[in-house]
Amino acid sequence: MRIRTSTIEDLPVLQEIERAAGLCFRDVGMDEVADDEPLSLAELGCYQRAGRAWVAVDDTDRAMGYLITDPVDGNVHIEQVSVHPDAAGRGVGRALIDHIAAQAAAMGVPALTLTTFGDVAWNAPYYAARCGFRTLTEGELTPGLREIRRSEARHGLDRWPRVCMRRDLSGASG
């Protein structure tokens, strides 16, 4: 597995990855999440052109997973990380997160943040146990994270418990 910045040619594949990865939400009764459409090619293109989209690729240079980020309150916010089910369980998502953590730490960024489902095994519990994130208390939320949560609520994601998480990068080796 290799991680590289995404190209414009990768973008339709990222949509395919997102659709396939979302299907597992059906298994936990979250059909609305499974049916949610991925970001548009235009939206993904904005991340790609800004240099804030990475892919984990196989030996044929085909994307198996991807990660996109936004700057939020001085931190790197993981807007989306998805792995195709055919590549699940191989550390692809964790490798993408560790890659971004190493880049951010090298630039002096204090932390990675993300929002996720609190009770879905491959979401918050995974990020805490395998990727070094901790759940933030309400009092620890920055203005940008509060706005992200408001936006998620407007999109109906609060039907299931959501949490904000943080991975401090001081001394991170990635």
Side-chain angles (χ1 to χ4, degrees), residues 52-65:
R52 293 187 283 116
W54 294 265
V55 292
V57 297
D58 63 16
D59 293 340
T60 68
D61 201 46
R62 176 128 174 118
M64 303 180 291

Side-chain angles (χ1 to χ4, degrees), residues 22-152:
L23 293 178
C24 60
F25 283 97
R26 287 195 196 292
D27 298 337
V28 294
M30 298 170 72
D31 290 357
E32 294 88 346
V33 175
D35 293 338
D36 195 34
E37 277 297 305
L39 293 177
S40 69
L41 291 176
E43 290 168 311
L44 289 170
C46 289
Y47 284 98
Q48 184 268 326
R49 285 188 301 280
R52 293 187 283 116
W54 294 265
V55 292
V57 297
D58 63 16
D59 293 340
T60 68
D61 201 46
R62 176 128 174 118
M64 303 180 291
Y66 78 96
L67 184 147
I68 56 177
T69 65
D70 284 316
V72 175
D73 300 324
N75 297 309
V76 171
H77 182 77
I78 298 172
E79 173 58 30
Q80 183 68 40
V81 59
S82 292
V83 176
H84 194 283
D86 292 345
R90 294 193 229 160
V92 174
R94 187 171 60 234
L96 283 161
I97 290 169
D98 287 346
H99 180 81
I100 299 312
Q103 284 192 345
M107 294 185 305
V109 174
L112 300 180
T113 60
L114 57 82
T115 61
T116 192
F117 294 109
D119 297 335
V120 176
W122 62 89
N123 280 197
Y126 172 83
Y127 296 127
R130 306 292 295 269
C131 299
F133 285 84
R134 67 177 178 83
T135 299
L136 297 174
T137 65
E138 188 68 25
E140 292 176 298
L141 300 185
T142 62
L145 289 175
R146 288 181 193 282
E147 180 52 38
I148 289 168
R149 289 291 297 115
R150 282 191 289 275
S151 176
E152 291 175 346

